[in-house]
Structures are given as C-alpha cells and as structure tokens.
Amino acid sequence: MAAGMSLLGAAGCQNPFDGADPPPAPVPDAAEAGAVGAAPVGSPSQWASASTAPTATPSGAPSPTATGSPTATGSPSAQAAQPVQPVHKVLTQAEGKPVYELDPSRKVVALTIDDGPDPRYTPTVLDLLQKYGIRATFFLIGENAVQHPALVREIADRGHHIANHTWTHPDLRHLSDAKVRDELERTSDVLFKTTGRQPTWFRAPGGDWSDASLRIAADLGLRNMAWSVDPRDWARPGTSAIVDTILKDVRPGSIVLNHDGGGDRSQTVAAIKAYLPVLVDSGYFFTAPPN
Ligand SMILES: [Zn+2]
C-alpha cells in the first residue's frame, strides 16, 4: 500500500513541496484566511517564492518556463520553422524517487486529480476548487488532453498544476523502454504545446513505477509523485465511503488521490464537494507544485 510506505526523508531534502508552504508557525485563523479564503486561485501564493528555486539548474540553464515562454521563442519565423524544444532539468538520484507525502510538520494537503481531463467532471471540480481557493495538481492523460485542449488550458489558467500521467494510461512495467519514453514524452510535449508549461511531475498509472520509467522520467526532467491517501474512488465505492476514507486518513503532509476521468466520476465529484469544506474548516492548507 502506498500509505505510510515512504515518508519523504528528513527535513531539508530535495522535496520542492518543502519550504514552499505557508510559514511554519502561522496563527491558525490568519493562516486559514490567507491560504484558503482570501487568496484567489491562480494568484501568486505561498508557492510564488518557491517557483524559481526548485527548478533552477546548477548549470544555470534556463528554466523550462523561461524557455517555453512565448517571448523566449525568438522570431515568428523561427517559431513557425520549429517548435522550441524545452530544456529539462537534470534530476539527482534522490529527486528521481517517488514522493509519497509532504512535510508532516505542516498542516498541508496536496490534492491530486488523475485521468482527466473529462468535460463531464473536470469543470465541476474546477468550480469546487475555486470556491475554496484551492490549487490542485491534475495528472492528465495525453490522449484525453489532446481531445480537450481548451479544458487543459482552463485547468492551467485557473492556477492548477499540470502534470504528466502518460499518453494511454498503460501498465509501464510491461512496456519496452522505447514505449515508456514515448508515453511520457508525447504527453509532456502535448501539455507543453497546449499550456506553454513544461510538465515537471509525473505519476505512473496505478502507481506502478518501473526502473525504466524512473530512469526515463528523470531523463525527461520529471519528478515522480505518488500518494498517501487513496479512497479508491475509481472503483465507485459510494460517495460516503470516499468521503469517510479521506477524512479518516488525511493528516498533515498527505497527498490525496482522486480521479476526474476514466469512467463515471460523479461519486468523486460529490465527495470532493463534501470533504473539501470539512478539511478547510479543520485548518488544512492545500498546496501544489509551483507552475
Ligand atoms: Zn490514473
């Protein structure tokens, strides 16, 4: 099981979620108001100060954001001739390992939403997140993203973090290296072309990483995000079961797994509507990697 499998090492290791969250000892009421109530989604948030540090490369190479920015792509003719190939950060071995939880000393949760986008569910999820001023991470499937580019852009425009969840959602353990690379690379490429953002986080379908997928993800500048709270919403256990599992299992530093694609996700949407206000009222912050 993912839960409790691996705390993300000691404080100070290379988890970009560390140090990017709210101040360590905020006044609870003020912190809640600042992080959850007042900050509009998409505005500079607690992540703002962290957005440059984790992506800076030791060699001083330009960040993916700068490279991918329309203003950095040179003349229109150059753009037309060839899309700019983003520069990837080279990951250290420690950075290449899946992250299961964030710093447990902060009352922070990372909400991650997989398998979309899906026009039936994603817009409602976005509205719920906006209602509570929450940034989440969307692990998008490439073949869904290419069918719904406007929805991908809307997720990004609303300030959420866009991440890579392969092109076709295969079990990566059974694919050749070349196929794994194709699954990851195509997806990063389409997300970059659609949003102008180079994905920096990856999640293996089912959480089934392989040595090859870890190596190839690192090669593509993708860190690996697992989870620590899994309500198995994809199996449609009932809205109340999803809510109960999340409220029972969430603790400071949790990474929560939900799904807005891959089937009927109406239970998930109803559960999000029910559990978000409870977690917010309990004083949790919500966080996502910087964009
Ligand atoms: Zn998935």
Side-chain angles (χ1 to χ4, degrees), residues 241-261:
I242 299 170
V243 172
D244 290 350
T245 301
I246 288 174
L247 294 181
K248 176 171 66 69
D249 289 353
V250 161
R251 58 187 176 183
S254 288
I255 299 176
V256 175
L257 172 63
N258 276 180
H259 296 80
D260 67 341

mmCIF file of all heavy atoms in Angstrom, residues 241-261:
data_model
loop_
_atom_site.group_PDB
_atom_site.id
_atom_site.type_symbol
_atom_site.label_atom_id
_atom_site.label_comp_id
_atom_site.label_asym_id
_atom_site.label_seq_id
_atom_site.Cartn_x
_atom_site.Cartn_y
_atom_site.Cartn_z
ATOM 1 N N ALA A 241 -18.362 6.582 1.246
ATOM 2 C CA ALA A 241 -17.141 5.803 1.510
ATOM 3 C C ALA A 241 -15.902 6.599 1.106
ATOM 4 O O ALA A 241 -14.875 6.570 1.806
ATOM 5 C CB ALA A 241 -17.187 4.478 0.750
ATOM 6 N N ILE A 242 -15.987 7.312 -0.003
ATOM 7 C CA ILE A 242 -14.853 8.134 -0.440
ATOM 8 C C ILE A 242 -14.597 9.234 0.589
ATOM 9 O O ILE A 242 -13.458 9.452 1.027
ATOM 10 C CB ILE A 242 -15.137 8.750 -1.834
ATOM 11 C CG1 ILE A 242 -15.333 7.635 -2.879
ATOM 12 C CG2 ILE A 242 -14.013 9.683 -2.244
ATOM 13 C CD1 ILE A 242 -15.853 8.139 -4.225
ATOM 14 N N VAL A 243 -15.657 9.890 0.988
ATOM 15 C CA VAL A 243 -15.514 10.979 1.965
ATOM 16 C C VAL A 243 -14.948 10.436 3.278
ATOM 17 O O VAL A 243 -14.007 11.006 3.844
ATOM 18 C CB VAL A 243 -16.884 11.654 2.217
ATOM 19 C CG1 VAL A 243 -16.793 12.652 3.366
ATOM 20 C CG2 VAL A 243 -17.378 12.342 0.950
ATOM 21 N N ASP A 244 -15.494 9.333 3.751
ATOM 22 C CA ASP A 244 -15.064 8.787 5.044
ATOM 23 C C ASP A 244 -13.586 8.413 5.020
ATOM 24 O O ASP A 244 -12.856 8.679 5.979
ATOM 25 C CB ASP A 244 -15.903 7.548 5.397
ATOM 26 C CG ASP A 244 -17.348 7.910 5.741
ATOM 27 O OD1 ASP A 244 -17.632 9.124 5.883
ATOM 28 O OD2 ASP A 244 -18.178 6.987 5.844
ATOM 29 N N THR A 245 -13.149 7.767 3.945
ATOM 30 C CA THR A 245 -11.738 7.368 3.866
ATOM 31 C C THR A 245 -10.833 8.591 3.898
ATOM 32 O O THR A 245 -9.820 8.607 4.612
ATOM 33 C CB THR A 245 -11.474 6.563 2.575
ATOM 34 O OG1 THR A 245 -12.306 5.415 2.574
ATOM 35 C CG2 THR A 245 -10.020 6.144 2.482
ATOM 36 N N ILE A 246 -11.201 9.596 3.159
ATOM 37 C CA ILE A 246 -10.344 10.779 3.107
ATOM 38 C C ILE A 246 -10.304 11.468 4.472
ATOM 39 O O ILE A 246 -9.229 11.793 4.984
ATOM 40 C CB ILE A 246 -10.819 11.728 1.989
ATOM 41 C CG1 ILE A 246 -10.468 11.106 0.632
ATOM 42 C CG2 ILE A 246 -10.183 13.114 2.131
ATOM 43 C CD1 ILE A 246 -10.989 11.849 -0.553
ATOM 44 N N LEU A 247 -11.457 11.642 5.074
ATOM 45 C CA LEU A 247 -11.469 12.354 6.366
ATOM 46 C C LEU A 247 -10.796 11.520 7.458
ATOM 47 O O LEU A 247 -10.218 12.068 8.396
ATOM 48 C CB LEU A 247 -12.902 12.712 6.759
ATOM 49 C CG LEU A 247 -13.575 13.726 5.820
ATOM 50 C CD1 LEU A 247 -14.984 14.047 6.310
ATOM 51 C CD2 LEU A 247 -12.749 15.009 5.681
ATOM 52 N N LYS A 248 -10.850 10.217 7.335
ATOM 53 C CA LYS A 248 -10.190 9.351 8.331
ATOM 54 C C LYS A 248 -8.680 9.336 8.127
ATOM 55 O O LYS A 248 -7.917 9.319 9.092
ATOM 56 C CB LYS A 248 -10.747 7.927 8.192
ATOM 57 C CG LYS A 248 -10.085 6.890 9.098
ATOM 58 C CD LYS A 248 -10.833 5.560 9.057
ATOM 59 C CE LYS A 248 -10.758 4.872 7.696
ATOM 60 N NZ LYS A 248 -9.424 4.356 7.346
ATOM 61 N N ASP A 249 -8.226 9.340 6.872
ATOM 62 C CA ASP A 249 -6.810 9.102 6.597
ATOM 63 C C ASP A 249 -5.975 10.368 6.426
ATOM 64 O O ASP A 249 -4.751 10.311 6.548
ATOM 65 C CB ASP A 249 -6.658 8.249 5.327
ATOM 66 C CG ASP A 249 -7.111 6.805 5.537
ATOM 67 O OD1 ASP A 249 -7.413 6.457 6.707
ATOM 68 O OD2 ASP A 249 -7.178 6.049 4.558
ATOM 69 N N VAL A 250 -6.600 11.475 6.106
ATOM 70 C CA VAL A 250 -5.796 12.676 5.870
ATOM 71 C C VAL A 250 -5.130 13.133 7.167
ATOM 72 O O VAL A 250 -5.747 13.141 8.228
ATOM 73 C CB VAL A 250 -6.664 13.824 5.288
ATOM 74 C CG1 VAL A 250 -5.980 15.172 5.463
ATOM 75 C CG2 VAL A 250 -6.931 13.579 3.810
ATOM 76 N N ARG A 251 -3.878 13.470 7.031
ATOM 77 C CA ARG A 251 -3.103 14.031 8.135
ATOM 78 C C ARG A 251 -2.157 15.055 7.522
ATOM 79 O O ARG A 251 -2.034 15.120 6.287
ATOM 80 C CB ARG A 251 -2.330 12.926 8.852
ATOM 81 C CG ARG A 251 -1.391 12.179 7.933
ATOM 82 C CD ARG A 251 -0.771 10.975 8.619
ATOM 83 N NE ARG A 251 0.047 10.217 7.671
ATOM 84 C CZ ARG A 251 0.659 9.092 7.969
ATOM 85 N NH1 ARG A 251 0.559 8.590 9.179
ATOM 86 N NH2 ARG A 251 1.388 8.466 7.063
ATOM 87 N N PRO A 252 -1.478 15.841 8.347
ATOM 88 C CA PRO A 252 -0.567 16.831 7.760
ATOM 89 C C PRO A 252 0.448 16.187 6.817
ATOM 90 O O PRO A 252 1.081 15.199 7.167
ATOM 91 C CB PRO A 252 0.102 17.446 8.997
ATOM 92 C CG PRO A 252 -0.953 17.338 10.063
ATOM 93 C CD PRO A 252 -1.607 16.006 9.797
ATOM 94 N N GLY A 253 0.561 16.751 5.633
ATOM 95 C CA GLY A 253 1.500 16.245 4.639
ATOM 96 C C GLY A 253 0.916 15.250 3.660
ATOM 97 O O GLY A 253 1.615 14.777 2.763
ATOM 98 N N SER A 254 -0.359 14.927 3.806
ATOM 99 C CA SER A 254 -0.950 13.914 2.924
ATOM 100 C C SER A 254 -0.982 14.365 1.463
ATOM 101 O O SER A 254 -1.213 15.535 1.164
ATOM 102 C CB SER A 254 -2.389 13.613 3.348
ATOM 103 O OG SER A 254 -2.427 12.882 4.555
ATOM 104 N N ILE A 255 -0.778 13.393 0.593
ATOM 105 C CA ILE A 255 -1.067 13.568 -0.826
ATOM 106 C C ILE A 255 -2.285 12.694 -1.120
ATOM 107 O O ILE A 255 -2.237 11.476 -0.954
ATOM 108 C CB ILE A 255 0.125 13.162 -1.712
ATOM 109 C CG1 ILE A 255 1.352 14.030 -1.391
ATOM 110 C CG2 ILE A 255 -0.248 13.288 -3.192
ATOM 111 C CD1 ILE A 255 2.616 13.630 -2.162
ATOM 112 N N VAL A 256 -3.386 13.332 -1.521
ATOM 113 C CA VAL A 256 -4.669 12.652 -1.713
ATOM 114 C C VAL A 256 -4.865 12.350 -3.192
ATOM 115 O O VAL A 256 -4.650 13.222 -4.042
ATOM 116 C CB VAL A 256 -5.823 13.525 -1.188
ATOM 117 C CG1 VAL A 256 -7.178 12.874 -1.487
ATOM 118 C CG2 VAL A 256 -5.673 13.769 0.308
ATOM 119 N N LEU A 257 -5.298 11.136 -3.477
ATOM 120 C CA LEU A 257 -5.554 10.692 -4.853
ATOM 121 C C LEU A 257 -7.055 10.684 -5.139
ATOM 122 O O LEU A 257 -7.822 10.024 -4.442
ATOM 123 C CB LEU A 257 -4.987 9.275 -5.040
ATOM 124 C CG LEU A 257 -5.325 8.560 -6.350
ATOM 125 C CD1 LEU A 257 -4.742 9.297 -7.541
ATOM 126 C CD2 LEU A 257 -4.828 7.123 -6.314
ATOM 127 N N ASN A 258 -7.437 11.442 -6.160
ATOM 128 C CA ASN A 258 -8.821 11.414 -6.669
ATOM 129 C C ASN A 258 -8.768 11.320 -8.191
ATOM 130 O O ASN A 258 -7.711 11.505 -8.791
ATOM 131 C CB ASN A 258 -9.579 12.691 -6.275
ATOM 132 C CG ASN A 258 -10.192 12.635 -4.874
ATOM 133 O OD1 ASN A 258 -10.825 13.570 -4.422
ATOM 134 N ND2 ASN A 258 -10.004 11.533 -4.156
ATOM 135 N N HIS A 259 -9.924 11.067 -8.804
ATOM 136 C CA HIS A 259 -9.981 10.908 -10.266
ATOM 137 C C HIS A 259 -11.136 11.723 -10.847
ATOM 138 O O HIS A 259 -12.260 11.643 -10.339
ATOM 139 C CB HIS A 259 -10.184 9.435 -10.633
ATOM 140 C CG HIS A 259 -9.041 8.547 -10.229
ATOM 141 N ND1 HIS A 259 -8.886 8.089 -8.943
ATOM 142 C CD2 HIS A 259 -7.992 8.061 -10.942
ATOM 143 C CE1 HIS A 259 -7.784 7.338 -8.886
ATOM 144 N NE2 HIS A 259 -7.223 7.312 -10.086
ATOM 145 N N ASP A 260 -10.850 12.446 -11.919
ATOM 146 C CA ASP A 260 -11.921 13.162 -12.631
ATOM 147 C C ASP A 260 -12.086 12.625 -14.052
ATOM 148 O O ASP A 260 -12.764 13.231 -14.876
ATOM 149 C CB ASP A 260 -11.660 14.674 -12.654
ATOM 150 C CG ASP A 260 -10.444 15.045 -13.493
ATOM 151 O OD1 ASP A 260 -9.598 14.147 -13.757
ATOM 152 O OD2 ASP A 260 -10.316 16.216 -13.881
ATOM 153 N N GLY A 261 -11.475 11.480 -14.344
ATOM 154 C CA GLY A 261 -11.598 10.883 -15.661
ATOM 155 C C GLY A 261 -11.488 9.366 -15.559
ATOM 156 O O GLY A 261 -11.264 8.826 -14.473
#
